[in-house]
Amino acid sequence: MAQRTDALVIGAGLAGLVAAVELADAGRSVRILEQEGDNSVGGQAHWSLGGLFLVDTPEQRRMGIVDSAELAWQDWLGSAGFDRVEDYWPRRTAEAFVEFAAGGMRDWLHGLGMRWFPVVGWAERGGAMADGHGNSVPRFHITWGTGPGVLVPFLRRIKKHVKHGRVVINCRHRVDGLTTTLGRVAGATGAVLPPSNVERGQRSSRDEIDVFEYGAEVVVVASGGIGGDHDKVRAHWPVERLGAPPARMLSGVPHHVDGRMIDIAADDARAAIINADRMWHYTEGVANWSPIWPAHGIRIIPGPSSLWLDATGRRLPAPCLPGFDTLTTLREILATGHDYSWFVLDQSIIEKEFALSGSEQNPDMTSQSWRAVLRSRLSSGAPPPVEAFKAKGADFVVADDVAQLAAGMNRLTGERLIDARELEATITARDRQVANGFAKDAQITAIHGARRYRGDRLFRVAKPHRLLDPAHGPLIAVRLHILTRKTLGGLHTDIDGRVLDGRGEAIPGLYGVGEAAGFGGGGYHGYNALEGTFLGGCLFSGRRAGRHAAGQL
């Protein structure tokens, strides 16, 4: 007979932990099933920069940012582009999330001990129309301690519940099926895998040493998305909208982020999957010189000053500017028939504007040391992790002049696509736009606009200058790959995380949270993300589902 518990949570990432905490806080018994080892508790949130989409906060007001729920919702709608019948619940969920982000979310997290870097980041700026895609104002709040700092309050509460017997965590338990009774999801079955001592994120064994079956009143699927399975990414790729998928991609998530549990829920519980063609992959990926998982890539989070060129050396048109419009840029790159592009910049720009996504690439903020932050961000030279990539990364070319730069770019790719004279002409034309305070170049205008924000001027945007000025050298080129990351669709859920079937009716006993549910509703981002909304969606959907499920028990 299957062992029983009030609730099973499948996946020990951020959304699953939040749901488990809410259930246990309400006095319910919870068993968390996690395929990977105990050092993987926390999931993808552990690797993240810890950015949260928050609206009208004290941090914004201190930086002179005027924001509101109305403006945030306008930005969300312009970015999401909801246009399908099945977008009813995604839109409802998005509206509730924006209200939460502008209302109780910060107070809730602050009460749990979370704090944020005082300079609010301006991510995904859009660069087109007022009612189109992008954040009108800076909203990206980096958590002090980065991704691990987001996890700490929930790990602390989980540990307390484990001590008191309300929560049990079974790592190396891979769920292979959901059980149902009279149309209600009643538990899960699967295999026990051998203990693993591999580093977090590395491939672990799939040998089976035992089987398990657990019964529960509710089952919460919190198993993540598909970004680690490139075949699955390509199978769902929206060719009509973005063009043919890249021949080569890097992975921004470990290999076990494969969407397997989403398919199991569909097969065993007849759960509906919606918006599987909506996905969020970055265009600024570089190969990790010290990889952990297969094809391990790191995203460059750029300021707005690098020249962005396609594989042939042609400059990308606005709004395909660094940090402005991810999917438009992705479509533009793929239209060339190549799966990579280039940043061309100089030492002054890399020192001021380059940041690398992830907790491990930002040890100063992850360590919560102000001394380390000031030494890393304000001293001469780029932050040490960036300098390490420049020195050791396979995608970086450093040269003293344009001819050497072009030769290095061609040598790196093995193709002679970059013409040195054309590259110099492109850079020279750009440089003429910074000779005075005026410009018709959209990128130079955007740089001037960004520097009106005190946070960008201090930390993120270099003073406009000529790239060919030797005082700012050497010149640098960075080959950029497509980097798989987030699944924007998934299990269709209502606003409380109840998984729906093909008729739109709630499946008794089954909930979906986090990336497995498109971060809420089956895709509350629509087509585009405003950033800070991935961790935010895990927090929101886990909290909402956990509280609702607790009320049903």
Side-chain angles (χ1 to χ4, degrees):
M1 180 178 294
Q3 297 183 51
R4 295 199 61 79
T5 185
D6 289 334
L8 283 177
V9 176
I10 303 173
L14 178 60
L17 293 176
V18 173
V21 163
E22 294 293 341
L23 282 155
D25 282 353
R28 311 300 184 243
S29 60
V30 183
R31 186 180 294 271
I32 301 174
L33 303 177
E34 167 59 45
Q35 174 183 258
E36 301 304 311
D38 56 7
N39 66 350
S40 290
V41 172
Q44 304 320 303
H46 169 85
W47 301 103
S48 78
L49 188 57
L52 296 175
F53 178 97
L54 296 169
V55 178
D56 191 21
T57 65
E59 290 78 17
Q60 287 177 301
R61 293 191 288 272
R62 282 194 291 267
M63 295 302 297
I65 301 164
V66 179
D67 200 6
S68 67
E70 293 77 16
L71 180 60
W73 182 233
Q74 174 181 301
D75 288 347
W76 195 290
L77 282 179
S79 297
F82 295 123
D83 60 1
R84 297 172 178 173
V85 173
E86 56 267 34
D87 281 333
Y88 173 79
W89 282 116
R91 180 180 172 129
R92 285 279 310 277
T93 304
E95 188 171 15
F97 172 76
V98 171
E99 290 175 359
F100 188 49
M105 184 174 174
R106 184 189 180 280
D107 288 344
W108 172 53
L109 297 174
H110 192 276
L112 295 175
M114 212 175 289
R115 300 294 184 267
W116 298 274
F117 191 65
V119 178
V120 183
W122 195 352
E124 201 67 13
R125 305 181 188 207
M129 307 298 287
D131 58 355
H133 171 58
N135 285 296
S136 297
V137 298
R139 296 190 177 107
F140 192 75
H141 295 65
I142 299 178
T143 305
W144 193 230
T146 65
V150 176
L151 289 166
V152 162
F154 303 101
L155 292 172
R156 185 186 302 124
R157 291 166 72 187
I158 284 287
K159 184 177 180 180
K160 180 180 177 181
H161 286 307
V162 169
K163 180 179 179 180
H164 290 91
R166 286 186 290 271
V167 172
V168 175
I169 303 177
N170 292 133
C171 291
R172 301 297 285 160
H173 278 53
R174 185 191 67 207
V175 174
D176 294 329
L178 297 177
T179 59
T180 59
T181 302
L182 300 176
R184 182 182 185 88
V185 172
T189 61
V192 179
L193 309 180
S196 174
N197 59 2
V198 302
E199 185 179 349
R200 177 194 285 264
Q202 289 183 339
R203 284 188 183 274
S204 58
S205 167
R206 291 295 178 264
D207 294 337
E208 301 175 11
I209 60 175
D210 204 350
V211 296
F212 67 83
E213 180 176 358
Y214 295 113
E217 297 301 312
V218 298
V219 174
V220 181
V221 176
S223 53
I226 68 171
D229 185 335
H230 290 191
D231 290 338
K232 192 168 289 186
V233 168
R234 291 189 177 94
H236 293 300
W237 193 274
V239 175
E240 300 80 7
R241 183 160 49 86
L242 295 180
R248 179 173 185 263
M249 297 182 284
L250 297 178
S251 289
V253 294
H255 71 288
H256 60 258
V257 184
D258 57 8
R260 182 172 172 275
M261 194 63 224
I262 299 174
D263 294 334
I264 289 172
D267 292 341
D268 292 352
R270 298 187 178 181
I273 300 171
I274 62 171
N275 299 323
D277 65 317
R278 293 178 181 170
M279 48 187 71
W280 193 249
H281 304 308
Y282 290 112
T283 50
E284 313 99 331
V286 291
N288 192 344
W289 61 270
S290 181
I292 298 174
W293 54 79
H296 188 176
I298 298 293
R299 184 200 175 200
I300 294 172
I301 305 176
S305 300
S306 298
L307 272 180
W308 206 333
L309 312 178
D310 69 17
T312 70
R314 178 186 67 93
R315 192 175 176 192
L316 299 185
C320 302
L321 307 175
F324 277 72
D325 191 330
T326 295
L327 286 194
T328 296
T329 306
L330 176 59
R331 184 167 57 247
E332 186 74 24
I333 291 169
L334 295 179
T336 68
H338 298 277
D339 53 18
Y340 67 93
S341 61
W342 294 98
F343 276 163
V344 170
L345 59 150
D346 58 28
Q347 184 64 26
S348 292
I349 292 174
I350 202 172
E351 289 182 5
K352 187 85 169 185
E353 298 195 5
F354 265 38
L356 299 170
S357 182
S359 57
E360 79 282 16
Q361 301 298 333
N362 294 273
D364 51 351
M365 290 187 179
T366 302
S367 69
Q368 303 185 44
S369 167
W370 275 109
R371 179 176 296 180
V373 168
L374 294 174
R375 184 171 59 247
S376 174
R377 309 285 163 161
L378 297 181
S379 62
S380 61
V386 174
E387 284 291 346
F389 265 82
K390 191 182 81 171
K392 303 176 183 179
D395 295 306
F396 286 71
V397 179
V398 181
D400 291 327
D401 58 45
V402 175
Q404 292 178 26
L405 191 72
M409 295 163 74
N410 287 329
R411 187 164 53 249
L412 180 60
T413 63
E415 302 178 279
R416 299 188 60 83
L417 298 178
I418 305 298
D419 182 276
R421 287 175 298 180
E422 292 179 2
L423 178 59
E424 184 158 14
T426 297
I427 297 174
T428 300
R430 177 263 183 208
D431 280 359
R432 291 188 179 120
Q433 295 289 300
V434 299
N436 53 60
F438 302 94
K440 68 178 182 180
D441 187 285
Q443 184 172 15
I444 304 304
T445 300
I447 293 169
H448 287 310
R451 285 180 59 83
R452 291 174 57 196
Y453 169 44
R454 186 165 73 251
D456 274 354
R457 189 169 64 252
L458 288 173
F459 285 94
R460 288 290 288 150
V461 183
K463 185 177 180 179
H465 62 272
R466 293 186 302 111
L467 292 177
L468 296 181
D469 182 348
H472 294 279
L475 292 169
I476 302 166
V478 185
R479 179 176 57 178
L480 306 172
H481 306 270
I482 309 304
L483 181 71
T484 67
R485 186 64 68 88
K486 298 299 181 183
T487 307
L488 299 190
L491 297 174
H492 195 186
T493 71
D494 66 10
I495 199 169
D496 291 313
R498 295 185 298 174
V499 176
L500 310 178
D501 63 17
R503 298 171 296 177
E505 297 180 1
I507 299 170
L510 186 61
Y511 290 79
V513 298
E515 192 173 358
F519 300 94
Y524 87 147
H525 289 98
Y527 289 98
N528 288 282
L530 290 173
E531 298 291 359
T533 54
F534 302 123
L535 292 183
C538 290
L539 292 165
F540 176 78
S541 63
R543 181 178 189 258
R544 189 101 185 197
R547 293 188 175 190
H548 187 274
Q552 303 303 302
L553 294 173

